[in-house]
Structures are given as C-alpha cells and as structure tokens.
C-alpha cells in the first residue's frame, strides 16, 4: 500500500479518515444491519474461494469540474469481486449500483490523472478475507471484524 498511500496523502481529502479499501456496499452498513445478517455474511464468504485481485490501471469518475481518480480491480477468476458483492448485497436492503474501485484522489482536477498514471505500478494480491470497517464520530475508520473466504479459519 506504499504507492497507494503516497498518492492518497497529497490528493485524497479522506486520507486520514480511512485506509485504502474497495467498498462492497454503498451506502455503508450500520452495525445493526451487519448483526442481523452476520451468519449469512459468514456463509456467503465461506462459499467464496479466495481469489487473485490485481490493480492494473487507473481511471476517473467525473463530478462536475472535479474527478475521483481510482484504481480498477480485476479478479481471477473473472468477476469474483462482483459475484461476492452481489451475493452479499442480496442479504440486505437495496444498494446503489456502483463500480468497485480503490479511490486514489478525491476531489481532484482531471489533469492529475496523467500524473497518477505515471506513478502507478500495477500489482496483485490474494484476497483471503473481507473486513467490516466502522468509525465512531469523526474518528478514522477501524476494522471491526474480518470474514474469511472459503473454508479457512477467521
């Protein structure tokens, strides 16, 4: 996460609020929502085998005069992240459809994208767990619990 944090510290206003992450839900889940379906979350994670996730390229969402610049996740097997997101979201209320991404800069000028592309070095890792993060008040988000993928221990 060194490269990600180097970019974020200067260009993401939420740098101090949360760690690098890829949302599975938007809007965020409350602790009550999670508690109501935690057994189902565990079961869905156990039915999902660990997978490779790579971040090969960066892109942008345009919001008026500014952008959100982000890294695009790609999985092997294909669509593993999207399948997990769909499976988990079916347990809960309706969520806004969104493109999974890792925010690098927000809000940012469109011209910053070329600089980020020049800094970006694609990498990959194995996803073995997902995390539920939450914050109290205005403090930074913290990992509350993790859920293991496949048949491994938490």
């Amino acid at each position: 996460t060194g490269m990600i944090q180097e970019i974020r510290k200067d260009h993401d206003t939420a740098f101090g609020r949360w760690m690098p992450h890829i949302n599975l839900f938007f809007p965020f889940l409350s602790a009550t929502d999670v508690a109501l379906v935690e057994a189902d979350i565990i079961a869905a994670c156990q039915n999902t085998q660990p997978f490779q996730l790579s971040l090969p390229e960066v892109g942008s969402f345009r919001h008026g005069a500014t952008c959100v610049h982000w890294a695009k996740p790609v999985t092997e097997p294909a669509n593993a992240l999207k399948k997990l997101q769909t499976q988990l979201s079916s347990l809960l209320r309706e969520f806004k459809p969104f493109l999974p991404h890792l925010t690098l800069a927000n809000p940012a000028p469109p011209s910053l994208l070329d600089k980020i592309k020049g800094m970006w070095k694609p990498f990959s890792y194995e996803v073995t767990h997902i995390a539920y993060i939450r914050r109290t008040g205005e403090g930074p988000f913290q990992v509350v619990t993790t859920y293991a993928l496949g048949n491994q221990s938490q």
Side-chain angles (χ1 to χ4, degrees):
T1 62
M3 171 185 55
I4 293 168
Q5 292 296 68
E6 274 299 306
I7 296 169
R8 288 185 68 231
K9 75 176 181 170
D10 294 329
H11 304 292
D12 186 359
T13 57
F15 178 79
R17 191 177 327 147
W18 50 45
M19 67 290 286
H21 66 282
I22 298 171
N23 290 350
L24 291 174
F25 299 108
F26 184 80
F28 298 111
L29 297 177
S30 70
T32 303
D33 288 338
V34 171
L36 289 172
V37 295
E38 187 164 47
D40 294 322
I41 292 171
I42 291 168
C45 288
Q46 288 175 339
N47 289 326
T48 302
Q49 292 305 307
F51 55 89
Q52 281 296 122
L53 187 140
S54 62
L55 295 162
E57 61 186 325
V58 295
S60 292
F61 299 128
R62 187 85 185 224
H63 296 289
T66 64
C67 294
V68 175
H69 300 309
W70 45 265
K72 176 185 178 182
V74 175
T75 61
E76 181 59 41
N79 297 315
L81 185 64
K82 193 72 172 160
K83 288 177 185 174
L84 177 59
Q85 178 190 32
T86 299
Q87 193 174 14
L88 291 171
S89 65
S90 71
L91 304 173
L92 302 156
R93 65 184 185 276
E94 290 297 317
F95 287 88
K96 297 177 185 177
F98 72 100
L99 178 69
H101 63 280
L102 190 148
T103 299
L104 299 170
N106 181 31
S111 59
L112 182 61
L113 183 60
D114 287 335
K115 179 180 178 183
I116 292 173
K117 284 182 176 180
M119 298 170 68
W120 192 252
K121 292 178 179 52
F123 67 97
S124 65
Y125 57 93
E126 184 178 30
V127 177
T128 60
H129 292 74
I130 62 169
Y132 172 55
I133 62 174
R134 181 177 67 216
R135 71 179 178 160
T136 304
E138 293 301 311
F141 279 79
Q142 301 290 321
V143 173
V144 175
T145 191
T146 61
Y147 301 98
L149 300 183
N151 293 321
Q152 55 184 324
S153 299
Q154 295 290 331

